[in-house]
PDB file of all heavy atoms in Angstrom:
ATOM      1  N   SER X 770      -4.133   4.053   9.509  1.00 94.00           N
ATOM      2  CA  SER X 770      -3.929   2.679   9.733  1.00 94.00           C
ATOM      3  C   SER X 770      -3.831   1.981   8.290  1.00 94.00           C
ATOM      4  O   SER X 770      -3.298   0.884   8.316  1.00 94.00           O
ATOM      5  CB  SER X 770      -5.105   1.989  10.357  1.00 94.00           C
ATOM      6  OG  SER X 770      -4.709   0.794  10.892  1.00 94.00           O
ATOM      7  N   CYS X 771      -4.146   2.557   7.172  1.00 93.00           N
ATOM      8  CA  CYS X 771      -4.147   1.988   5.906  1.00 93.00           C
ATOM      9  C   CYS X 771      -2.908   2.174   5.148  1.00 93.00           C
ATOM     10  O   CYS X 771      -2.596   1.471   4.131  1.00 93.00           O
ATOM     11  CB  CYS X 771      -5.283   2.246   5.071  1.00 93.00           C
ATOM     12  SG  CYS X 771      -6.852   1.640   5.829  1.00 93.00           S
ATOM     13  N   ALA X 830      -2.502 -11.866   3.346  1.00 95.00           N
ATOM     14  CA  ALA X 830      -2.944 -10.530   3.876  1.00 95.00           C
ATOM     15  C   ALA X 830      -2.522 -10.477   5.313  1.00 95.00           C
ATOM     16  O   ALA X 830      -2.002 -11.494   5.883  1.00 95.00           O
ATOM     17  CB  ALA X 830      -4.517 -10.449   3.772  1.00 95.00           C
ATOM     18  N   GLY X 831      -2.813  -9.261   5.919  1.00 96.00           N
ATOM     19  CA  GLY X 831      -2.552  -9.082   7.313  1.00 96.00           C
ATOM     20  C   GLY X 831      -3.278 -10.027   8.188  1.00 96.00           C
ATOM     21  O   GLY X 831      -2.729 -10.669   9.089  1.00 96.00           O
ATOM     22  N   ALA X 832      -4.500 -10.125   7.992  1.00 96.00           N
ATOM     23  CA  ALA X 832      -5.372 -10.900   8.940  1.00 96.00           C
ATOM     24  C   ALA X 832      -5.006 -12.349   8.773  1.00 96.00           C
ATOM     25  O   ALA X 832      -4.997 -13.071   9.676  1.00 96.00           O
ATOM     26  CB  ALA X 832      -6.811 -10.688   8.591  1.00 96.00           C
ATOM     27  N   HIS X 833      -4.676 -12.723   7.530  1.00 97.00           N
ATOM     28  CA  HIS X 833      -4.105 -14.099   7.338  1.00 97.00           C
ATOM     29  C   HIS X 833      -2.888 -14.451   8.129  1.00 97.00           C
ATOM     30  O   HIS X 833      -2.762 -15.481   8.672  1.00 97.00           O
ATOM     31  CB  HIS X 833      -4.098 -14.299   5.737  1.00 97.00           C
ATOM     32  CG  HIS X 833      -3.779 -15.759   5.343  1.00 97.00           C
ATOM     33  ND1 HIS X 833      -3.447 -15.998   4.023  1.00 97.00           N
ATOM     34  CD2 HIS X 833      -3.921 -16.910   5.942  1.00 97.00           C
ATOM     35  CE1 HIS X 833      -3.380 -17.333   3.926  1.00 97.00           C
ATOM     36  NE2 HIS X 833      -3.619 -17.950   5.036  1.00 97.00           N
ATOM     37  N   GLU X 835      -2.037 -12.886  10.877  1.00 98.00           N
ATOM     38  CA  GLU X 835      -2.413 -12.986  12.249  1.00 98.00           C
ATOM     39  C   GLU X 835      -2.773 -14.436  12.545  1.00 98.00           C
ATOM     40  O   GLU X 835      -2.518 -15.009  13.609  1.00 98.00           O
ATOM     41  CB  GLU X 835      -3.576 -12.008  12.560  1.00 98.00           C
ATOM     42  CG  GLU X 835      -3.214 -10.591  12.646  1.00 98.00           C
ATOM     43  CD  GLU X 835      -4.385  -9.734  12.777  1.00 98.00           C
ATOM     44  OE1 GLU X 835      -5.371 -10.127  13.335  1.00 98.00           O
ATOM     45  OE2 GLU X 835      -4.341  -8.608  12.143  1.00 98.00           O
ATOM     46  N   HIS X 863      -6.511  -3.303  16.659  1.00 93.00           N
ATOM     47  CA  HIS X 863      -7.202  -3.485  15.227  1.00 93.00           C
ATOM     48  C   HIS X 863      -8.274  -4.542  15.346  1.00 93.00           C
ATOM     49  O   HIS X 863      -7.998  -5.673  15.949  1.00 93.00           O
ATOM     50  CB  HIS X 863      -6.176  -3.671  14.202  1.00 93.00           C
ATOM     51  CG  HIS X 863      -6.695  -3.511  12.856  1.00 93.00           C
ATOM     52  ND1 HIS X 863      -7.363  -4.529  12.090  1.00 93.00           N
ATOM     53  CD2 HIS X 863      -6.751  -2.463  12.019  1.00 93.00           C
ATOM     54  CE1 HIS X 863      -7.720  -4.068  10.903  1.00 93.00           C
ATOM     55  NE2 HIS X 863      -7.409  -2.856  10.792  1.00 93.00           N
ATOM     56  N   THR X 865      -9.074  -6.906  13.515  1.00 95.00           N
ATOM     57  CA  THR X 865      -8.639  -8.231  13.072  1.00 95.00           C
ATOM     58  C   THR X 865      -8.118  -9.032  14.199  1.00 95.00           C
ATOM     59  O   THR X 865      -8.205 -10.303  14.087  1.00 95.00           O
ATOM     60  CB  THR X 865      -7.792  -8.198  11.901  1.00 95.00           C
ATOM     61  OG1 THR X 865      -6.707  -7.185  12.261  1.00 95.00           O
ATOM     62  CG2 THR X 865      -8.385  -7.711  10.576  1.00 95.00           C
ATOM     63  N   ASN X 866      -7.424  -8.359  15.248  1.00 97.00           N
ATOM     64  CA  ASN X 866      -6.740  -9.097  16.220  1.00 97.00           C
ATOM     65  C   ASN X 866      -7.767  -9.986  17.074  1.00 97.00           C
ATOM     66  O   ASN X 866      -7.396 -11.216  17.100  1.00 97.00           O
ATOM     67  CB  ASN X 866      -6.002  -8.152  17.240  1.00 97.00           C
ATOM     68  CG  ASN X 866      -4.792  -7.432  16.558  1.00 97.00           C
ATOM     69  OD1 ASN X 866      -4.090  -6.742  17.204  1.00 97.00           O
ATOM     70  ND2 ASN X 866      -4.707  -7.630  15.191  1.00 97.00           N
ATOM     71  N   THR X 907       0.256  -3.932  19.024  1.00 93.00           N
ATOM     72  CA  THR X 907       1.050  -3.269  17.985  1.00 93.00           C
ATOM     73  C   THR X 907       1.712  -2.103  18.611  1.00 93.00           C
ATOM     74  O   THR X 907       1.319  -1.502  19.546  1.00 93.00           O
ATOM     75  CB  THR X 907       0.157  -2.809  16.747  1.00 93.00           C
ATOM     76  OG1 THR X 907       1.057  -2.356  15.775  1.00 93.00           O
ATOM     77  CG2 THR X 907      -0.862  -1.886  17.099  1.00 93.00           C
ATOM     78  N   THR X 911      -2.754   1.842  17.769  1.00 94.00           N
ATOM     79  CA  THR X 911      -3.686   2.392  16.723  1.00 94.00           C
ATOM     80  C   THR X 911      -3.793   3.842  17.015  1.00 94.00           C
ATOM     81  O   THR X 911      -4.483   4.503  16.146  1.00 94.00           O
ATOM     82  CB  THR X 911      -4.976   1.656  16.690  1.00 94.00           C
ATOM     83  OG1 THR X 911      -5.534   1.592  17.892  1.00 94.00           O
ATOM     84  CG2 THR X 911      -4.700   0.089  16.220  1.00 94.00           C
ATOM     85  N   ASP X 936       1.491  -7.030  15.849  1.00 97.00           N
ATOM     86  CA  ASP X 936       0.751  -6.701  14.543  1.00 97.00           C
ATOM     87  C   ASP X 936       1.495  -5.596  13.857  1.00 97.00           C
ATOM     88  O   ASP X 936       1.397  -4.419  14.210  1.00 97.00           O
ATOM     89  CB  ASP X 936      -0.702  -6.111  15.043  1.00 97.00           C
ATOM     90  CG  ASP X 936      -1.603  -5.707  13.812  1.00 97.00           C
ATOM     91  OD1 ASP X 936      -0.845  -5.492  12.723  1.00 97.00           O
ATOM     92  OD2 ASP X 936      -2.708  -5.726  13.928  1.00 97.00           O
ATOM     93  N   ALA X 938       1.198  -4.516  10.784  1.00 94.00           N
ATOM     94  CA  ALA X 938       0.517  -4.174   9.598  1.00 94.00           C
ATOM     95  C   ALA X 938       1.111  -2.819   9.091  1.00 94.00           C
ATOM     96  O   ALA X 938       1.411  -2.625   7.867  1.00 94.00           O
ATOM     97  CB  ALA X 938      -0.865  -4.004   9.707  1.00 94.00           C
ATOM     98  N   ASN X 939       1.419  -1.971   9.950  1.00 92.00           N
ATOM     99  CA  ASN X 939       1.937  -0.560   9.719  1.00 92.00           C
ATOM    100  C   ASN X 939       3.348  -0.515  10.157  1.00 92.00           C
ATOM    101  O   ASN X 939       3.649  -0.163  11.357  1.00 92.00           O
ATOM    102  CB  ASN X 939       1.187   0.509  10.289  1.00 92.00           C
ATOM    103  CG  ASN X 939      -0.231   0.289  10.086  1.00 92.00           C
ATOM    104  OD1 ASN X 939      -1.063   0.091  11.085  1.00 92.00           O
ATOM    105  ND2 ASN X 939      -0.743   0.272   8.910  1.00 92.00           N
ATOM    106  N   HIS X 958       3.500 -10.337  12.118  1.00 98.00           N
ATOM    107  CA  HIS X 958       3.222 -10.222  10.837  1.00 98.00           C
ATOM    108  C   HIS X 958       3.471  -8.817  10.272  1.00 98.00           C
ATOM    109  O   HIS X 958       3.304  -7.831  10.953  1.00 98.00           O
ATOM    110  CB  HIS X 958       1.668 -10.748  10.516  1.00 98.00           C
ATOM    111  CG  HIS X 958       0.729  -9.639  10.673  1.00 98.00           C
ATOM    112  ND1 HIS X 958      -0.038  -9.342  11.843  1.00 98.00           N
ATOM    113  CD2 HIS X 958       0.255  -8.716   9.717  1.00 98.00           C
ATOM    114  CE1 HIS X 958      -0.789  -8.407  11.590  1.00 98.00           C
ATOM    115  NE2 HIS X 958      -0.661  -7.931  10.280  1.00 98.00           N
ATOM    116  N   ASN X 960       2.457  -6.198   6.870  1.00 97.00           N
ATOM    117  CA  ASN X 960       1.742  -6.217   5.593  1.00 97.00           C
ATOM    118  C   ASN X 960       2.590  -5.517   4.514  1.00 97.00           C
ATOM    119  O   ASN X 960       2.843  -4.272   4.553  1.00 97.00           O
ATOM    120  CB  ASN X 960       0.493  -5.199   5.873  1.00 97.00           C
ATOM    121  CG  ASN X 960      -0.661  -5.823   6.440  1.00 97.00           C
ATOM    122  OD1 ASN X 960      -0.491  -6.786   7.128  1.00 97.00           O
ATOM    123  ND2 ASN X 960      -1.791  -5.259   6.428  1.00 97.00           N
ATOM    124  N   HIS X 962       1.839  -4.993   1.630  1.00 95.00           N
ATOM    125  CA  HIS X 962       0.934  -4.177   0.783  1.00 95.00           C
ATOM    126  C   HIS X 962       0.681  -2.767   1.549  1.00 95.00           C
ATOM    127  O   HIS X 962       0.120  -1.899   0.983  1.00 95.00           O
ATOM    128  CB  HIS X 962      -0.320  -4.711   0.316  1.00 95.00           C
ATOM    129  CG  HIS X 962      -1.195  -5.370   1.509  1.00 95.00           C
ATOM    130  ND1 HIS X 962      -0.620  -6.531   2.212  1.00 95.00           N
ATOM    131  CD2 HIS X 962      -2.353  -5.102   2.106  1.00 95.00           C
ATOM    132  CE1 HIS X 962      -1.477  -6.858   3.098  1.00 95.00           C
ATOM    133  NE2 HIS X 962      -2.538  -6.019   3.176  1.00 95.00           N
ATOM    134  N   LYS X 963       1.075  -2.579   2.730  1.00 95.00           N
ATOM    135  CA  LYS X 963       1.003  -1.329   3.291  1.00 95.00           C
ATOM    136  C   LYS X 963       2.356  -0.576   3.327  1.00 95.00           C
ATOM    137  O   LYS X 963       2.523   0.516   2.846  1.00 95.00           O
ATOM    138  CB  LYS X 963       0.368  -1.287   4.671  1.00 95.00           C
ATOM    139  CG  LYS X 963      -1.070  -1.562   4.713  1.00 95.00           C
ATOM    140  CD  LYS X 963      -1.671  -1.661   6.055  1.00 95.00           C
ATOM    141  CE  LYS X 963      -3.142  -1.989   5.945  1.00 95.00           C
ATOM    142  NZ  LYS X 963      -3.652  -2.438   7.388  1.00 95.00           N
TER     143      LYS X 963
HETATM  144  C1  PLP R 650      -4.733  -3.254   7.888  1.00 79.05           C
HETATM  145  C2  PLP R 650      -4.458  -3.780   9.143  1.00 79.05           C
HETATM  146  C3  PLP R 650      -4.638  -5.212   9.459  1.00 79.05           C
HETATM  147  C4  PLP R 650      -5.192  -6.110   8.471  1.00 79.05           C
HETATM  148  O1  PLP R 650      -4.466  -6.304   7.304  1.00 79.05           O
HETATM  149  P1  PLP R 650      -5.239  -6.914   6.032  1.00 79.05           P
HETATM  150  O2  PLP R 650      -4.237  -7.047   4.995  1.00 79.05           O
HETATM  151  O3  PLP R 650      -6.342  -5.877   5.631  1.00 79.05           O
HETATM  152  O4  PLP R 650      -5.922  -8.177   6.429  1.00 79.05           O
HETATM  153  C5  PLP R 650      -4.307  -5.563  10.664  1.00 79.05           C
HETATM  154  N1  PLP R 650      -3.893  -4.770  11.605  1.00 79.05           N
HETATM  155  C6  PLP R 650      -3.723  -3.481  11.395  1.00 79.05           C
HETATM  156  C7  PLP R 650      -3.206  -2.555  12.517  1.00 79.05           C
HETATM  157  C8  PLP R 650      -4.053  -2.940  10.165  1.00 79.05           C
HETATM  158  O5  PLP R 650      -3.752  -1.572   9.974  1.00 79.05           O
END
Side-chain angles (χ1 to χ4, degrees):
S770 198
C771 295
H833 193 190
E835 290 172 31
H863 195 269
T865 49
N866 292 185
T907 184
T911 59
D936 178 340
N939 314 116
H958 85 266
N960 280 20
H962 49 291
K963 285 179 184 164

